[in-house]
Amino acid sequence: MARTRQRWLPALLIPFALAIAVLLGSVQAGATVSLPPKTAEEILAMIARTEVRAFSGTVEQTAELGLPEVPTSGPGIAPGAVSALEFLTGSHTARVYVDGPLRARLQVLDQMAERDVVINGADAWFYNSRDNSATHLTAPAKPTVPEKYEPRMLPPDMPTPDMPTPDMPTPEAMASRFLAAVDASTEVTASESSTVAGRSAYSLVLNPRSTETLVDSVTIDVDSETGLPLGVEVRANGQAEPAYSLAYTQLDLSTPDAELFNFTPPPGATVTEKVLPVKPVPSMAMPSTPVPDPAVAEPEVRGPGASVTGKGWDSVISLPAGYAPAELTSNPQLSQALQPVGGGRALTTSLLSVLILDDGRVYAGMVPLERLQSAAAAQ
C-alpha cells in the first residue's frame, strides 16, 4: 500500500529533520527486571490503550551514525543557526513538557546556551539564548464552521489545519511512526523487560525481513504501568553499539505547571514575527453527501512531486529538481558532511543515505547508497 510504504522513511527522519529543527534524545535502558510475561500483541495493545496526555521529563539522545562532529559556527554558518544535522552526532539533552494536544515545551540544553520551543494553542515561540533571538509564529483565526455542521463533530481542543501542534520529538512520537507502518515486511516480537527512567518496561522488537535495508532492528521500551513508550533504540547492520537511541532519563506523569507554556522574550531579544498563511476551509460532508469508504485508502502525499519506490524498509523517496528543502541543498553544515559521487554528492550514515544529484534531484532511504543510485538511474 502506498500509505504504508511511505511511512518508514519519515519514521527515521523524525529525529533528524522535524519542523522545529531542534532535536532531543535518548539513553540506553537499564537492568533487566521481572514482569509478568506478555506477548508482542499484548504490548502493542498496551501502547494503543495508553491514556497519558500530560507529562514532563528529561530526554537524552545518542547518535552514532559514523558522521564527523558537525560545526555549529564558522565560515558560512550564521550565528545561532540550528541544523537538524547537528543532532546526528554525539549526545544531546532536553527537557520536555506536554499538556494535552495544544500545549508543549521543549528545552534543548546546549553547552553555555539553551534553545526553547514553546507551543500554546495557536502560538509558537522558538528561542535561542546563544544570540538572544526569538521567532513568534501565530496561526490565523479558527475557520468558521458552517451553521448546519454539528458542533459535537469538532472537539474544542482539536487543532485547526493551520495551528502548530506539539508533535514533540519524544520516544512516544518516534515509536508511533514505526508502529504505524508495521506490516508483513517486519517481524514483531517481545524481548526481555528492562528499566527506563526508573520505571519497569516491556520491550518490543521490530526486525526487518529485508536484506537490503541498513536497519538491523528497532527496540521500543514500553512502560509496564501506562503503556507509554519510554525509549526507542535503532541498531544498524554490522554495528555493535546502537546507531540511534531516544529515551527518558527522568519522567513525571503529573500535569506540568500552566506557566511553563507562557513565553516572554528576555530583554533585548531580537524578535521576528511570522503568521502562518490562511488555508481554505475544507468543505464539511453533510448527511446527504456520499461518504468515502474508509477501507479504500488514498495514497499519502508527502509533498509536491515526491514519489516512493520499493516497499517497507527498502523504500526510497525521491524529490524532483526544485522540490528539495533548503536544509538539504544549501545548508553549509550539511555541505561539509557530503562526499562527492558520480553525478552529485551523498550523505552516507549507518542508518540513512541521501543522494543529491547535480541536476537537483534528491533521493533518500534507509538503504545503501548504491540502492539510491540505482533508483536514480531508473528514472
Side-chain angles (χ1 to χ4, degrees):
M1 300 289 288
R3 181 180 295 271
T4 300
R5 292 205 314 266
Q6 297 186 50
R7 281 185 178 141
W8 285 111
L9 185 62
L12 191 60
L13 289 177
I14 281 296
F16 299 166
L18 268 177
I20 57 177
V22 256
L23 253 295
L24 40 65
S26 81
V27 86
Q28 296 182 25
T32 299
V33 296
S34 178
L35 288 173
K38 287 187 181 293
T39 64
E41 291 75 14
E42 290 173 324
I43 300 174
L44 287 170
M46 287 179 60
I47 298 174
R49 291 195 304 264
T50 185
E51 296 182 354
V52 176
R53 298 294 179 266
F55 58 89
S56 61
T58 302
V59 287
E60 291 184 5
Q61 168 200 302
T62 300
E64 299 292 343
L65 302 178
L67 288 172
E69 289 294 328
V70 178
T72 57
S73 61
I77 300 176
V82 178
S83 170
L85 188 66
E86 177 187 344
F87 297 92
L88 298 184
T89 60
S91 298
H92 301 273
T93 302
R95 289 284 298 169
V96 61
Y97 307 87
V98 174
D99 182 9
L102 299 181
R103 295 196 292 185
R105 181 169 189 147
L106 176 71
Q107 297 175 316
V108 180
L109 308 176
D110 298 325
Q111 290 185 350
M112 308 299 291
E114 179 179 309
R115 284 173 281 185
D116 290 79
V117 178
V118 183
I119 299 176
N120 193 345
D123 289 281
W125 283 93
F126 302 80
Y127 176 70
N128 191 333
S129 68
R130 191 180 299 275
D131 59 358
N132 198 23
S133 64
T135 298
H136 182 209
L137 183 67
T138 56
K142 194 170 183 177
T144 302
V145 179
E147 293 182 2
K148 293 184 179 180
Y149 188 69
E150 292 290 341
R152 66 176 181 272
M153 299 181 69
L154 187 63
D157 61 349
M158 180 178 178
T160 71
D162 299 290
M163 187 179 298
T165 55
D167 189 9
M168 287 294 170
T170 62
E172 182 182 20
M174 188 175 183
S176 67
R177 282 159 177 77
F178 278 113
L179 294 176
V182 167
D183 59 10
S185 69
T186 308
E187 179 186 17
V188 183
T189 59
S191 185
E192 292 184 347
S193 55
S194 62
T195 301
V196 180
R199 303 180 66 89
S200 58
Y202 289 100
S203 293
L204 195 68
V205 181
L206 312 182
N207 288 109
R209 291 190 174 103
S210 166
T211 58
E212 293 191 27
T213 181
L214 295 171
V215 180
D216 175 70
S217 65
V218 177
T219 300
I220 302 172
D221 293 312
V222 182
D223 184 35
S224 62
E225 180 182 346
T226 66
L228 179 73
L230 301 176
V232 177
E233 178 183 272
V234 186
R235 289 184 173 270
N237 285 315
Q239 184 170 312
E241 295 300 318
Y244 190 88
S245 58
L246 171 68
Y248 291 104
T249 58
Q250 182 274 329
L251 181 65
D252 182 350
L253 296 180
S254 61
T255 302
D257 189 335
E259 285 300 314
L260 287 167
F261 308 108
N262 295 325
F263 181 81
T264 301
T270 301
V271 178
T272 301
E273 295 283 350
K274 293 185 178 181
V275 179
L276 287 172
V278 178
K279 295 180 181 178
V281 179
S283 58
M284 305 297 180
M286 295 293 105
S288 59
T289 303
V291 179
D293 184 355
V296 180
E298 296 182 2
E300 182 179 3
V301 179
R302 299 230 66 86
S307 61
V308 175
T309 58
K311 297 181 180 180
W313 299 89
D314 301 336
S315 297
V316 172
I317 187 169
S318 61
L319 294 172
Y323 285 99
E327 182 75 15
L328 282 176
T329 57
S330 60
N331 187 297
Q333 293 171 302
L334 177 59
S335 296
Q336 298 183 46
L338 294 173
Q339 63 187 60
V341 296
R345 299 168 297 162
L347 174 70
T348 57
T349 76
S350 58
L351 289 177
L352 179 74
S353 300
V354 180
L355 174 63
I356 304 175
L357 297 178
D358 293 336
D359 61 13
R361 289 179 294 156
V362 176
Y363 296 81
M366 295 183 291
V367 293
L369 175 61
E370 294 75 18
R371 172 84 167 79
L372 304 184
Q373 291 172 320
S374 297
Q379 294 185 353

